[in-house]
Amino acid sequence: MYYERSLSNAPVIQLEDAVKELSETGKRVKVLWQEPDALTFVARGREYRSEFHINPSDEIMYMIRGQMNLHIRKEDGSEEIVVVPEGGLNFTPAGMPHSPRFPPDAFLLVSERVRRQGEADRFQWYCPSCDALLHEETFTVSDYRADPVSKAYANFFDSEENRTCGKCGNTMPRPEGV
């Protein structure tokens, strides 16, 4: 029977084990499973997170440890912050620009759909002085274990041109440790 086979092969995940591994290794992401229609991972906070992620699928986020300030850009360009406390759960619909900001000693469980053929993730940075779009990175993510967020950050922060606003001339500083 399908259910018996799939349940007997399904791993049992202890979230604290994933948190411990990320804490000890300094890595940012631990993929728990990645199946054709399901992706679940634990993320450790990034002290320098500033971009907005636009995901082609819905996302469910559960705050395992610590607190997250989830920055959301609304259709009119304004920003809203949703505070997700430890033990809190949040749903972010596909296409909503969001920026989960929490410290490196906080941990988040994320569940979403694996990208379908032709779908891309977008990462956008806005000028801290005038709020104009500074830069956008687009990735086709076939394997989330490749940590596309870190790659987007490297592409952005390694280029002064990407960090310089074409509207007001402000240059976003490169954070330490990036």
Side-chain angles (χ1 to χ4, degrees):
M1 176 181 209
Y2 171 76
Y3 293 110
E4 287 178 21
R5 182 174 54 83
S6 65
L7 285 177
S8 64
N9 293 331
V12 174
I13 305 293
Q14 295 292 325
L15 294 178
E16 283 303 317
D17 290 344
V19 165
K20 182 178 178 187
E21 179 181 331
L22 291 174
S23 296
E24 290 174 353
T25 64
K27 292 183 179 179
R28 300 292 181 165
V29 175
K30 167 73 174 166
V31 174
L32 303 178
W33 58 82
Q34 186 168 251
E35 299 295 330
D37 281 324
L39 166 64
T40 303
F41 60 92
V42 174
R44 183 168 67 92
R46 297 173 193 263
E47 58 278 15
Y48 52 81
R49 188 131 194 196
S50 58
E51 98 298 341
F52 285 83
H53 179 210
I54 302 170
N55 188 335
S57 74
D58 295 338
E59 239 178 284
I60 296 171
M61 295 180 264
Y62 170 75
M63 206 63 212
I64 300 169
R65 185 182 298 165
Q67 178 177 293
M68 171 176 61
N69 289 336
L70 181 62
H71 294 242
I72 297 170
R73 286 193 73 93
K74 298 174 154 183
E75 286 185 34
D76 66 2
S78 65
E79 192 174 312
E80 179 180 327
I81 299 174
V82 177
V83 177
V84 182
E86 187 169 311
L89 187 66
N90 178 266
F91 172 79
T92 303
M96 176 178 282
H98 62 285
S99 184
R101 300 178 189 178
F102 51 102
D105 61 348
F107 297 87
L108 177 69
L109 178 71
V110 179
S111 184
E112 57 192 38
R113 178 181 47 73
V114 170
R115 307 313 179 255
R116 296 183 176 138
Q117 188 171 350
E119 289 184 328
D121 285 66
R122 295 171 27 219
F123 302 89
Q124 297 177 334
W125 284 265
Y126 291 85
C127 178
S129 293
C130 73
D131 202 39
L133 180 65
L134 278 178
H135 182 70
E136 179 174 285
E137 286 286 327
T138 302
F139 284 92
T140 300
V141 181
S142 57
D143 186 346
Y144 210 83
R145 287 173 280 245
D147 192 5
V149 176
S150 290
K151 290 181 180 180
Y153 266 92
N155 290 347
F156 177 69
F157 284 113
D158 288 348
S159 168
E160 188 169 321
E161 180 182 342
N162 290 346
R163 295 183 287 117
T164 301
C165 182
K167 184 176 177 184
C168 74
N170 180 61
T171 300
M172 182 183 279
R174 179 185 175 90
E176 290 185 35
V178 178

